[in-house]
Amino acid sequence: MEKGKNKTIIDKIWDIFASVKLAVVIFSLIALTSIVGTVIEQQAEPEKNIKLLMKMFGLGHEAAQSFLGVLDKLGFTDMYHAWWFLAFLLIFCINLIICSLDRLPRVLKLVREKVRPLPVEHIEKMSIKKTFSQKNKAAHIKELAASALDRIGFKPLESSGEEGMQLYAEKGNFTRLGVYITHLSILLILAGAVIGVFFGYNAVLNLPEGEVSSYAYKDRETKIPLGFDLLCDNFEVEYYPGSDMPKAYRSWLTVIKNGKEVMKKSITVNDPLSYEGITFYQSSFGTVPDGMQNGIIILNVASANGQTEKIKTKIGGSFTIPGTSVTGRITDFSPALSFDQSGKAFTYAEHLSNPAIFVEFSEAGKIRDSGWILKRYPQTWQLKDGNRVEFLDIWGVEYTGLQVRKDPGVLIVYLGCIIMAMGLYMTFFMSHRRIWVSISEEKGSAKVVIGASANRNKAAFEQKIDKLIGMMNAGQKGGK
Amino acid sequence: MNSSTFFGLSTVAYILAMMTYITYLAFRKTTIGIVATAITVTGFISQTLALGMRWKEFADIGQMGILRAVPLTNLYESLIFFVWCLILAYLIIEFKYKNRSFGAFITPVAALALAFIDISGMSTDIQPLVPALQSNWLLAHVMMSFTSYSMFAISFSTGLMYLIVRTEKRSEPAYIFWTVMLSVFIITLSAMGLDYITFKMSVSSQEELIKSYLFKASFFSSSPAVAVVSWFIAVAFTFFVWRFGGILKKLIVSFNISYEMLDEITYKSIAIGFPIFTLGGLIFGAIWADQAWGKYWTWDPKETWSLITWFFYAFYLHSRLMRGWKGKKVAIVAVLGFMAVIFTYLGVNLLLSGLHSYGAQ
């Protein structure tokens, strides 16, 4: 008694989770709440959302603030991590598993069931049906049909009985499993995501040029040891020539383990560095506060007669042009230089968008020339007297913003993606096709009845069968 | 001559084709139909040429490999590619089903989309690729997304036509659904056109127009009289469509478009669009995000809306297998699915903020 009662409860729960109704409800719940989540900015400053609510509902600041408070309590300001949203996803998974398991035995039976010869009246009732007669021996027609079937990719089996001979074949019975493979792939992807949440992390690391770190930062307090040291050799923004459009953000990184350099790579936005399961992505950049004065200015100085020298100096520093008695002194620096309409120089930003140095050139104590030299504009590098000062870099004043990620689940996610692609292909672009060709002797000619079925895309299969008949007819003529 | 000459030519051709197809629908002369097809093919060829030229121009300006210079990096280019896919798919359908009547429903969508580019004054300049977009995934991700969007656009048109053909009474929910849907579609487009005409002097970008001036020339006008009249016209227009919707039905039926065929095309275009969308839009997008930002899924509005769209079409495909969900109910899902597509494509970029915002430039 007790056992029987238990079973019915499990059956009831099973039925609920196997129902399409639940799937519809959970689909709608996920979709509707997600919509709310795209309107309310997630994990954002409260003020942003207060403004949004004021605009959307015409509320006052106070009312919007208390409304946001309610939304915050309900988890809508970080809803994709709220317990109830995760519960929806969990129910979705259980629903997917139970629905699939519920239908799988029937489908497996269909997949395993071997195609068998059928009585002619059955063949004549198939959804694709062709009948024709040919003046020839049945045995010859059978040979033609067998080779034609082979050419359209079927391996026919034979049987003969009172009604005559029959060729029958099937293809793609496994494609019926495509739907379940797709469902499995969704579960794999979600499993990979869960593994990522529990065994991985996302952190950031702002690393100034020339500095080393052995930690990444989840937030201000939480440090995560990397297990090795990371050095930022250099950071650079490349621009499209003649414009302020950035072309690439590039960091030169070095991995140091136990005091030894083990890896060197320059990374860009779409090309990260991976070492020991930890990946570093180029995500932002900025200037070190009050760092300009200590920045190292790297110049390549060339005299008119071709002597060159690489020089490292600082703001306020001096250098000599090789082979001459001309000295240059860097008297001013601008991280972002521009000129106004009257030609007066001014700085338009605090970050290094257009770095420039002001150099005074003197010989024997007399100032001969002075002017701005811009890193991004090589035409300013050439001096009037034929000498040349190439402004290569100001180093040590910028930091590179790295996204640091460790995710052991990502491989499972990728595997799930590949399986999903296969499952979808099987489901939408392949089908389970079966064909029967019955050939019987009738008053000196052979009567051919072709019946066929496909669980998907019947029209395409019918075209294939027309091709098959065409091949049989052509073989017939050729045989004469 | 550059790409914009040929783009202009194709816009004119599609507008002409639209008028010719409608004339064909009215007079049913085969010659007119052939002319309509010829104009569409001409437009398609010149658009194909223009796309190729723009690709070349882009590669030259951006100084990058030809594979990365996909001309699909802003709203203007994506709309043009969408129209190209749509016309290609339509020409295939016309050829396969030997039926020109769909032309009168598809070419207006193409002409409207291209006209939207012109009247909204969106930037047609070639902009070099920002660092985030410099990836080999761009080609596969964007092309496949837009191919699937065009398939969904076709399923939307045929789904709507299916509802027009299959509904009988004005009190039927499905009838009310399609009349309201069609009216809202037309009213929204007209209202946006009106916004543009009224405010084009005072805005600097089309993004600003939509963000700050949406429906300010009509429904949300500062003058109460204009607002009231606008709402009245909108309601009256909806009523008009509802009252005389039967005429549209007669028109479609008179052209040997059977509801079975409409249902089949709706299903087939979704059955092609869905796997392409899943693979190119969601999976490739996730892999790309993973390589660029180290996160394959961040619940960014674009991602979330793609997922919502995906749910709609997954539901459509499953619901055909359910009892009692054939016919009109599924067609409604197909129509709603495309609403989600439009929002994923345009709404997210224009109204919400997120990582995909460069699409709105």
Side-chain angles (χ1 to χ4, degrees):
Chain A
M1 279 296 278
E2 191 72 18
K3 228 180 175 180
K5 206 178 167 190
N6 265 344
K7 211 183 162 201
T8 51
I9 288 169
I10 291 171
D11 272 355
K12 267 183 194 163
I13 294 173
W14 180 279
D15 285 346
I16 290 171
F17 277 104
S19 76
V20 184
K21 245 188 207 159
L22 180 72
V24 175
V25 171
I26 202 76
F27 262 36
S28 326
L29 276 174
I30 293 177
L32 285 174
T33 49
S34 294
I35 292 173
V36 178
T38 60
V39 176
I40 296 169
E41 225 173 294
Q42 299 293 299
Q43 296 172 314
E45 301 279 317
E47 205 50 41
K48 263 189 175 173
N49 280 322
I50 290 173
K51 271 195 191 134
L52 182 91
L53 292 173
M54 283 163 69
K55 205 177 154 194
M56 261 174 73
F57 299 104
L59 297 171
H61 192 276
E62 291 273 292
Q65 200 166 15
S66 48
F67 188 23
L68 186 70
V70 174
L71 288 175
D72 194 40
K73 279 250 167 62
L74 293 172
F76 275 103
T77 48
D78 188 14
M79 63 156 275
Y80 301 112
H81 303 100
W83 66 268
W84 49 263
F85 191 76
L86 298 177
F88 289 164
L89 290 179
L90 185 69
I91 295 170
F92 170 71
C93 284
I94 297 172
N95 185 225
L96 193 64
I97 295 169
I98 304 283
C99 270
S100 305
L101 287 181
D102 202 50
R103 288 155 181 79
L104 198 55
R106 264 175 287 161
V107 175
L108 275 178
K109 213 178 136 203
L110 275 172
V111 171
R112 288 215 193 98
E113 208 175 44
K114 289 275 176 296
V115 65
R116 268 184 303 213
L118 288 177
V120 177
E121 62 263 32
H122 260 177
I123 297 175
E124 281 175 331
K125 277 182 203 141
M126 308 240 73
S127 58
I128 303 171
K129 195 202 86 181
K130 311 268 167 182
T131 314
F132 59 96
S133 292
Q134 274 177 343
K135 281 202 176 114
N136 213 323
K137 280 260 183 314
H140 180 60
I141 297 293
K142 194 203 78 188
E143 289 306 312
L144 286 177
S147 81
L149 276 170
D150 193 59
R151 272 162 70 186
I152 61 167
F154 285 91
K155 299 265 167 287
L157 296 168
E158 278 183 48
S159 81
S160 50
E162 284 167 35
E163 290 176 312
M165 285 172 283
Q166 202 173 109
L167 293 171
Y168 54 96
E170 69 178 331
K171 215 170 87 172
N173 45 355
F174 64 92
T175 62
R176 286 183 187 270
L177 292 172
V179 173
Y180 302 94
I181 292 173
T182 311
H183 287 177
L184 178 75
S185 74
I186 296 173
L187 295 172
L188 263 180
I189 290 171
L190 289 170
V194 170
I195 291 173
V197 168
F198 283 103
F199 301 104
Y201 58 79
N202 259 301
V204 291
L205 173 59
N206 290 342
L207 198 57
E209 291 170 315
E211 285 192 22
V212 173
S213 175
S214 43
Y215 296 97
Y217 297 83
K218 232 175 173 168
D219 47 64
R220 255 172 221 168
E221 288 92 42
T222 332
K223 280 210 276 192
I224 298 168
L226 297 171
F228 51 83
D229 292 336
L230 189 74
L231 162 72
C232 174
D233 294 307
N234 194 11
F235 172 79
E236 199 89 2
V237 182
E238 286 169 36
Y239 293 88
Y240 284 100
S243 78
D244 272 345
M245 284 280 291
K247 188 178 181 191
Y249 306 116
R250 193 182 295 275
S251 304
W252 283 262
L253 302 176
T254 304
V255 178
I256 300 162
K257 182 141 192 185
N258 304 325
K260 258 192 240 156
E261 192 180 287
V262 288
M263 194 177 185
K264 235 177 159 49
K265 190 182 177 186
S266 77
I267 66 164
T268 55
V269 174
N270 277 295
D271 185 18
L273 174 147
S274 273
Y275 186 74
E276 287 188 343
I278 302 174
T279 313
F280 298 89
Y281 300 84
Q282 181 69 57
S283 82
S284 67
F285 64 95
T287 42
V288 179
D290 306 320
M292 295 298 172
Q293 290 307 316
N294 300 316
I296 294 169
I297 292 169
I298 303 169
L299 306 173
N300 193 29
V301 185
S303 69
N305 54 29
Q307 270 182 287
T308 66
E309 193 183 346
K310 204 161 198 176
I311 284 160
K312 285 181 184 175
T313 181
K314 285 187 176 185
I315 299 169
S318 302
F319 57 90
T320 314
I321 292 174
T324 68
S325 54
V326 180
T327 56
R329 204 169 77 83
I330 300 167
T331 56
D332 200 359
F333 170 81
S334 165
L337 189 79
S338 187
F339 295 95
D340 65 13
Q341 280 165 338
S342 61
K344 221 179 116 208
F346 69 100
T347 297
Y348 67 88
E350 276 172 33
H351 54 269
L352 286 182
S353 50
N354 190 18
I357 45 175
F358 192 85
V359 187
E360 280 179 4
F361 294 96
S362 49
E363 199 167 18
K366 263 192 177 164
I367 293 177
R368 285 178 34 170
D369 191 10
S370 67
W372 285 103
I373 296 175
L374 288 79
K375 181 175 172 245
R376 283 178 49 205
Y377 294 88
Q379 61 267 35
T380 62
W381 296 353
Q382 195 64 45
L383 307 177
K384 279 177 221 146
D385 52 11
N387 297 327
R388 190 173 161 83
V389 177
E390 297 175 358
F391 182 9
L392 298 182
D393 201 6
I394 172 159
W395 185 84
V397 298
E398 275 179 305
Y399 67 81
T400 178
L402 302 170
Q403 180 80 33
V404 184
R405 202 257 325 244
K406 184 181 173 182
D407 189 351
V410 81
L411 277 178
I412 295 170
V413 173
Y414 275 33
L415 183 72
C417 289
I418 294 168
I419 291 175
M420 183 182 271
M422 288 178 358
L424 286 172
Y425 188 81
M426 276 163 74
T427 310
F428 290 102
F429 299 115
M430 293 170 91
S431 58
H432 182 196
R433 295 169 167 188
R434 285 182 289 190
I435 183 166
W436 290 266
V437 182
S438 151
I439 303 149
S440 54
E441 219 61 77
E442 205 172 64
K443 294 172 212 154
S445 65
K447 189 189 173 204
V448 182
V449 181
I450 299 176
S453 71
N455 67 332
R456 212 170 288 112
N457 208 354
K458 250 172 227 146
F461 192 30
E462 200 162 355
Q463 277 176 7
K464 263 263 161 79
I465 288 167
D466 287 336
K467 214 172 118 192
L468 175 111
I469 294 169
M471 277 192 270
M472 283 173 69
N473 285 330
Q476 158 96 347
K477 274 170 207 147
K480 263 182 186 173
Chain B
M1 277 213 278
N2 60 8
S3 60
S4 48
T5 321
F6 283 99
F7 279 133
L9 200 66
S10 61
T11 309
V12 173
Y14 293 149
I15 291 169
L16 277 178
M18 170 181 88
M19 296 191 293
T20 324
Y21 273 117
I22 291 169
T23 318
Y24 167 70
L25 211 61
F27 293 102
R28 306 182 198 192
K29 286 248 166 62
T30 322
T31 353
I32 302 176
I34 292 168
V35 171
T37 309
I39 297 173
T40 314
V41 170
T42 313
F44 182 72
I45 291 171
S46 78
Q47 201 184 4
T48 312
L49 277 173
L51 273 173
M53 287 162 90
R54 181 139 180 132
W55 201 315
K56 179 80 183 33
E57 288 161 19
F58 195 16
D60 290 345
I61 287 182
Q63 302 158 329
M64 62 196 107
I66 200 89
L67 270 181
R68 287 191 181 179
V70 203
L72 275 175
T73 52
N74 55 28
L75 200 58
Y76 166 72
E77 292 170 335
S78 64
L79 264 176
I80 284 186
F81 183 70
F82 167 76
V83 170
W84 185 83
C85 289
L86 189 69
I87 294 292
L88 176 66
Y90 165 70
L91 287 173
I92 291 171
I93 289 176
E94 184 182 306
F95 179 74
K96 258 196 114 169
Y97 289 86
K98 309 263 177 278
N99 195 323
R100 285 204 174 87
S101 320
F102 295 112
F105 297 87
I106 302 282
T107 47
V109 178
L112 266 176
L114 293 180
F116 178 70
I117 293 172
D118 278 338
I119 61 163
S120 67
M122 64 180 71
S123 163
T124 59
D125 298 339
I126 293 178
Q127 297 131 336
L129 283 183
V130 297
L133 289 179
Q134 290 168 23
S135 165
N136 293 334
W137 288 104
L138 177 69
L139 180 68
H141 173 61
V142 182
M143 281 237 168
M144 287 173 82
S145 299
F146 282 101
T147 310
S148 62
Y149 289 174
S150 331
M151 297 319 290
F152 295 148
I154 288 175
S155 74
F156 165 76
S157 317
T158 50
L160 202 62
M161 281 162 79
Y162 180 91
L163 289 174
I164 295 174
V165 172
R166 284 303 298 278
T167 45
E168 303 289 339
K169 280 184 238 126
R170 286 199 195 98
S171 54
E172 221 176 316
Y175 181 87
I176 295 169
F177 174 80
W178 81 252
T179 46
V180 170
M181 215 64 194
L182 191 65
S183 311
V184 168
F185 208 73
I186 296 169
I187 291 166
T188 310
L189 278 173
S190 323
M192 281 168 79
L194 210 60
D195 285 338
Y196 175 71
I197 295 164
T198 321
F199 297 115
K200 68 178 164 188
M201 294 304 165
S202 52
V203 293
S204 54
S205 73
Q206 137 265 353
E207 200 184 344
E208 191 195 338
L209 179 75
I210 290 180
K211 279 195 168 153
S212 330
Y213 292 95
L214 188 66
F215 300 143
K216 285 277 158 67
S218 46
F219 306 117
F220 304 146
S221 172
S222 52
S223 138
V226 175
V228 167
V229 170
S230 306
W231 284 105
F232 177 77
I233 291 174
V235 171
F237 180 75
T238 311
F239 178 78
F240 178 82
V241 173
W242 174 80
R243 181 66 188 79
F244 298 105
I247 296 171
L248 261 180
K249 176 183 171 171
K250 275 187 201 134
L251 205 64
I252 297 174
V253 173
S254 72
F255 265 84
N256 295 325
I257 301 177
S258 68
Y259 69 85
E260 289 98 340
M261 186 162 126
L262 289 170
D263 186 51
E264 190 188 311
I265 297 176
T266 311
Y267 172 70
K268 277 201 172 150
S269 45
I270 292 176
I272 295 170
F274 181 76
I276 296 177
F277 179 66
T278 315
L279 189 68
L282 292 175
I283 294 182
F284 286 177
I287 294 175
W288 186 6
D290 188 48
Q291 289 190 352
W293 299 306
K295 290 165 183 170
Y296 51 85
W297 193 265
T298 51
W299 294 103
D300 162 77
K302 192 84 167 181
E303 290 171 350
T304 310
W305 271 97
S306 308
L307 186 69
I308 294 166
T309 306
W310 189 81
F311 273 159
F312 265 107
Y313 288 109
F315 179 66
Y316 172 89
L317 292 164
H318 286 87
S319 62
R320 284 176 68 89
L321 308 170
M322 281 195 291
R323 219 178 294 162
W325 266 84
K326 284 206 168 97
K328 281 178 265 184
K329 280 189 194 166
V330 227
I332 289 176
V333 178
V335 170
L336 287 177
F338 190 64
M339 296 292 121
V341 170
I342 292 183
F343 200 81
T344 310
Y345 172 25
L346 293 173
V348 172
N349 291 35
L350 298 173
L351 302 175
L352 306 172
S353 60
L355 294 168
H356 268 81
S357 53
Y358 38 70
Q361 283 163 359

